[in-house]
Amino acid sequence: MSRPPPPPSGTTVLIITCTILHISILLTSLSLNSVSLLPASVLPSNVLYSIPSNQIYRCFTFAFFHGGIFHLLFNMLALYSMGPPLEKEVGTVRFLAVSFAMVVVSGIMYVGICILLSYHDQTWLLYSSVGYSGNLFAYATMETFLPHVAATHSLFGIVNVPS
């Protein structure tokens, strides 16, 4: 039985980055709370809560950290499955550019939705988010619009599912 080819370099970079950052949380005193996407921390001058504000970097960092080993494992398995076909179709540079843009877009969308929901209940500004799932959903959506994408995809070589 032959080994599958390694994933393209962009997918590999994303998997390694997420894995190293998860390990860094475990091995250092860095707190997941300091990098998660907490809407109250992103917004300017938060008078309701005693939380630091204007931490815009959180709209980017949250995607590369995960809540636990299984969260990381399942997101990276999904990235390993969805990333290579998409990267081969659009190219590594475009794949990475779209990936980083989608991290920011999903972060802004999360904060925006929490702001809208906070008009009813202020605690929505205190729900934090981590993980690469927003990008995985974006990849799945982008794949459906590409001309050379197969009608079905193999999930880990076990089962075929419609695109």
Side-chain angles (χ1 to χ4, degrees), residues 5-24:
S9 58
T11 302
T12 303
V13 164
L14 291 172
I15 290 171
I16 289 171
T17 300
C18 288
T19 303
I20 288 173
L21 290 175
H22 182 74
I23 291 169
S24 74

PDB file of all heavy atoms in Angstrom, residues 5-24:
ATOM      1  N   PRO A   5       0.535  11.264  -0.753  1.00  0.00           N
ATOM      2  CA  PRO A   5       1.518  12.342  -0.844  1.00  0.00           C
ATOM      3  C   PRO A   5       1.309  13.334   0.294  1.00  0.00           C
ATOM      4  O   PRO A   5       0.207  13.473   0.820  1.00  0.00           O
ATOM      5  CB  PRO A   5       1.211  12.993  -2.199  1.00  0.00           C
ATOM      6  CG  PRO A   5      -0.207  12.640  -2.485  1.00  0.00           C
ATOM      7  CD  PRO A   5      -0.439  11.299  -1.835  1.00  0.00           C
ATOM      8  N   PRO A   6       2.372  14.022   0.701  1.00  0.00           N
ATOM      9  CA  PRO A   6       2.223  15.021   1.774  1.00  0.00           C
ATOM     10  C   PRO A   6       1.344  16.166   1.292  1.00  0.00           C
ATOM     11  O   PRO A   6       1.256  16.423   0.090  1.00  0.00           O
ATOM     12  CB  PRO A   6       3.653  15.492   2.030  1.00  0.00           C
ATOM     13  CG  PRO A   6       4.379  15.196   0.775  1.00  0.00           C
ATOM     14  CD  PRO A   6       3.726  13.987   0.175  1.00  0.00           C
ATOM     15  N   PRO A   7       0.690  16.857   2.213  1.00  0.00           N
ATOM     16  CA  PRO A   7      -0.139  17.988   1.794  1.00  0.00           C
ATOM     17  C   PRO A   7       0.729  19.098   1.215  1.00  0.00           C
ATOM     18  O   PRO A   7       1.921  19.170   1.504  1.00  0.00           O
ATOM     19  CB  PRO A   7      -0.817  18.429   3.094  1.00  0.00           C
ATOM     20  CG  PRO A   7       0.035  17.908   4.185  1.00  0.00           C
ATOM     21  CD  PRO A   7       0.689  16.671   3.652  1.00  0.00           C
ATOM     22  N   PRO A   8       0.151  19.964   0.390  1.00  0.00           N
ATOM     23  CA  PRO A   8       0.916  21.087  -0.150  1.00  0.00           C
ATOM     24  C   PRO A   8       1.469  21.976   0.963  1.00  0.00           C
ATOM     25  O   PRO A   8       1.000  21.929   2.106  1.00  0.00           O
ATOM     26  CB  PRO A   8      -0.112  21.848  -0.995  1.00  0.00           C
ATOM     27  CG  PRO A   8      -1.210  20.884  -1.250  1.00  0.00           C
ATOM     28  CD  PRO A   8      -1.215  19.939  -0.097  1.00  0.00           C
ATOM     29  N   SER A   9       2.435  22.800   0.617  1.00  0.00           N
ATOM     30  CA  SER A   9       3.168  23.560   1.629  1.00  0.00           C
ATOM     31  C   SER A   9       2.302  24.532   2.431  1.00  0.00           C
ATOM     32  O   SER A   9       2.525  24.713   3.624  1.00  0.00           O
ATOM     33  CB  SER A   9       4.335  24.301   0.984  1.00  0.00           C
ATOM     34  OG  SER A   9       3.872  25.160  -0.036  1.00  0.00           O
ATOM     35  N   GLY A  10       1.318  25.180   1.819  1.00  0.00           N
ATOM     36  CA  GLY A  10       0.470  26.119   2.558  1.00  0.00           C
ATOM     37  C   GLY A  10      -0.338  25.418   3.634  1.00  0.00           C
ATOM     38  O   GLY A  10      -0.434  25.893   4.771  1.00  0.00           O
ATOM     39  N   THR A  11      -0.918  24.288   3.288  1.00  0.00           N
ATOM     40  CA  THR A  11      -1.677  23.500   4.257  1.00  0.00           C
ATOM     41  C   THR A  11      -0.756  23.033   5.377  1.00  0.00           C
ATOM     42  O   THR A  11      -1.118  23.089   6.561  1.00  0.00           O
ATOM     43  CB  THR A  11      -2.350  22.292   3.570  1.00  0.00           C
ATOM     44  OG1 THR A  11      -3.206  22.767   2.522  1.00  0.00           O
ATOM     45  CG2 THR A  11      -3.160  21.480   4.546  1.00  0.00           C
ATOM     46  N   THR A  12       0.424  22.588   5.018  1.00  0.00           N
ATOM     47  CA  THR A  12       1.398  22.131   6.012  1.00  0.00           C
ATOM     48  C   THR A  12       1.777  23.261   6.964  1.00  0.00           C
ATOM     49  O   THR A  12       1.843  23.056   8.182  1.00  0.00           O
ATOM     50  CB  THR A  12       2.657  21.578   5.314  1.00  0.00           C
ATOM     51  OG1 THR A  12       2.266  20.522   4.435  1.00  0.00           O
ATOM     52  CG2 THR A  12       3.665  21.070   6.316  1.00  0.00           C
ATOM     53  N   VAL A  13       2.004  24.457   6.431  1.00  0.00           N
ATOM     54  CA  VAL A  13       2.351  25.609   7.266  1.00  0.00           C
ATOM     55  C   VAL A  13       1.236  25.907   8.262  1.00  0.00           C
ATOM     56  O   VAL A  13       1.489  26.157   9.441  1.00  0.00           O
ATOM     57  CB  VAL A  13       2.654  26.851   6.392  1.00  0.00           C
ATOM     58  CG1 VAL A  13       2.643  28.138   7.204  1.00  0.00           C
ATOM     59  CG2 VAL A  13       3.980  26.691   5.686  1.00  0.00           C
ATOM     60  N   LEU A  14      -0.004  25.858   7.818  1.00  0.00           N
ATOM     61  CA  LEU A  14      -1.135  26.137   8.712  1.00  0.00           C
ATOM     62  C   LEU A  14      -1.262  25.076   9.803  1.00  0.00           C
ATOM     63  O   LEU A  14      -1.496  25.398  10.974  1.00  0.00           O
ATOM     64  CB  LEU A  14      -2.428  26.246   7.912  1.00  0.00           C
ATOM     65  CG  LEU A  14      -2.529  27.463   7.000  1.00  0.00           C
ATOM     66  CD1 LEU A  14      -3.754  27.373   6.105  1.00  0.00           C
ATOM     67  CD2 LEU A  14      -2.547  28.742   7.812  1.00  0.00           C
ATOM     68  N   ILE A  15      -1.092  23.810   9.442  1.00  0.00           N
ATOM     69  CA  ILE A  15      -1.177  22.725  10.425  1.00  0.00           C
ATOM     70  C   ILE A  15      -0.054  22.862  11.455  1.00  0.00           C
ATOM     71  O   ILE A  15      -0.288  22.756  12.665  1.00  0.00           O
ATOM     72  CB  ILE A  15      -1.142  21.348   9.735  1.00  0.00           C
ATOM     73  CG1 ILE A  15      -2.450  21.126   8.957  1.00  0.00           C
ATOM     74  CG2 ILE A  15      -0.918  20.230  10.745  1.00  0.00           C
ATOM     75  CD1 ILE A  15      -2.440  19.899   8.061  1.00  0.00           C
ATOM     76  N   ILE A  16       1.156  23.110  10.996  1.00  0.00           N
ATOM     77  CA  ILE A  16       2.296  23.244  11.914  1.00  0.00           C
ATOM     78  C   ILE A  16       2.119  24.467  12.811  1.00  0.00           C
ATOM     79  O   ILE A  16       2.378  24.407  14.017  1.00  0.00           O
ATOM     80  CB  ILE A  16       3.623  23.306  11.123  1.00  0.00           C
ATOM     81  CG1 ILE A  16       3.922  21.928  10.525  1.00  0.00           C
ATOM     82  CG2 ILE A  16       4.769  23.776  12.005  1.00  0.00           C
ATOM     83  CD1 ILE A  16       5.079  21.917   9.541  1.00  0.00           C
ATOM     84  N   THR A  17       1.652  25.579  12.248  1.00  0.00           N
ATOM     85  CA  THR A  17       1.444  26.799  13.041  1.00  0.00           C
ATOM     86  C   THR A  17       0.440  26.560  14.160  1.00  0.00           C
ATOM     87  O   THR A  17       0.701  26.899  15.321  1.00  0.00           O
ATOM     88  CB  THR A  17       0.964  27.956  12.139  1.00  0.00           C
ATOM     89  OG1 THR A  17       1.956  28.202  11.147  1.00  0.00           O
ATOM     90  CG2 THR A  17       0.708  29.217  12.944  1.00  0.00           C
ATOM     91  N   CYS A  18      -0.702  25.977  13.821  1.00  0.00           N
ATOM     92  CA  CYS A  18      -1.722  25.717  14.845  1.00  0.00           C
ATOM     93  C   CYS A  18      -1.197  24.753  15.908  1.00  0.00           C
ATOM     94  O   CYS A  18      -1.456  24.941  17.104  1.00  0.00           O
ATOM     95  CB  CYS A  18      -2.991  25.157  14.206  1.00  0.00           C
ATOM     96  SG  CYS A  18      -3.919  26.375  13.257  1.00  0.00           S
ATOM     97  N   THR A  19      -0.460  23.742  15.499  1.00  0.00           N
ATOM     98  CA  THR A  19       0.065  22.757  16.441  1.00  0.00           C
ATOM     99  C   THR A  19       1.103  23.387  17.373  1.00  0.00           C
ATOM    100  O   THR A  19       1.055  23.200  18.599  1.00  0.00           O
ATOM    101  CB  THR A  19       0.678  21.564  15.690  1.00  0.00           C
ATOM    102  OG1 THR A  19      -0.330  21.011  14.827  1.00  0.00           O
ATOM    103  CG2 THR A  19       1.180  20.502  16.643  1.00  0.00           C
ATOM    104  N   ILE A  20       2.032  24.152  16.812  1.00  0.00           N
ATOM    105  CA  ILE A  20       3.061  24.796  17.636  1.00  0.00           C
ATOM    106  C   ILE A  20       2.430  25.791  18.610  1.00  0.00           C
ATOM    107  O   ILE A  20       2.812  25.848  19.780  1.00  0.00           O
ATOM    108  CB  ILE A  20       4.119  25.480  16.750  1.00  0.00           C
ATOM    109  CG1 ILE A  20       4.997  24.419  16.077  1.00  0.00           C
ATOM    110  CG2 ILE A  20       4.972  26.455  17.554  1.00  0.00           C
ATOM    111  CD1 ILE A  20       5.956  24.959  15.050  1.00  0.00           C
ATOM    112  N   LEU A  21       1.461  26.557  18.157  1.00  0.00           N
ATOM    113  CA  LEU A  21       0.821  27.528  19.044  1.00  0.00           C
ATOM    114  C   LEU A  21       0.035  26.831  20.154  1.00  0.00           C
ATOM    115  O   LEU A  21       0.012  27.307  21.288  1.00  0.00           O
ATOM    116  CB  LEU A  21      -0.071  28.482  18.258  1.00  0.00           C
ATOM    117  CG  LEU A  21       0.697  29.464  17.377  1.00  0.00           C
ATOM    118  CD1 LEU A  21      -0.258  30.294  16.530  1.00  0.00           C
ATOM    119  CD2 LEU A  21       1.601  30.359  18.207  1.00  0.00           C
ATOM    120  N   HIS A  22      -0.581  25.694  19.844  1.00  0.00           N
ATOM    121  CA  HIS A  22      -1.281  24.945  20.894  1.00  0.00           C
ATOM    122  C   HIS A  22      -0.284  24.422  21.931  1.00  0.00           C
ATOM    123  O   HIS A  22      -0.531  24.522  23.133  1.00  0.00           O
ATOM    124  CB  HIS A  22      -2.074  23.781  20.304  1.00  0.00           C
ATOM    125  CG  HIS A  22      -2.841  23.021  21.326  1.00  0.00           C
ATOM    126  ND1 HIS A  22      -3.990  23.514  21.897  1.00  0.00           N
ATOM    127  CD2 HIS A  22      -2.614  21.828  21.913  1.00  0.00           C
ATOM    128  CE1 HIS A  22      -4.438  22.649  22.789  1.00  0.00           C
ATOM    129  NE2 HIS A  22      -3.623  21.613  22.810  1.00  0.00           N
ATOM    130  N   ILE A  23       0.835  23.922  21.469  1.00  0.00           N
ATOM    131  CA  ILE A  23       1.874  23.430  22.386  1.00  0.00           C
ATOM    132  C   ILE A  23       2.427  24.586  23.218  1.00  0.00           C
ATOM    133  O   ILE A  23       2.705  24.424  24.404  1.00  0.00           O
ATOM    134  CB  ILE A  23       2.982  22.691  21.604  1.00  0.00           C
ATOM    135  CG1 ILE A  23       2.427  21.383  21.034  1.00  0.00           C
ATOM    136  CG2 ILE A  23       4.194  22.423  22.489  1.00  0.00           C
ATOM    137  CD1 ILE A  23       3.335  20.708  20.029  1.00  0.00           C
ATOM    138  N   SER A  24       2.558  25.772  22.604  1.00  0.00           N
ATOM    139  CA  SER A  24       3.085  26.921  23.351  1.00  0.00           C
ATOM    140  C   SER A  24       2.170  27.306  24.506  1.00  0.00           C
ATOM    141  O   SER A  24       2.648  27.735  25.553  1.00  0.00           O
ATOM    142  CB  SER A  24       3.301  28.120  22.426  1.00  0.00           C
ATOM    143  OG  SER A  24       2.073  28.719  22.071  1.00  0.00           O
TER     144      SER A  24
END
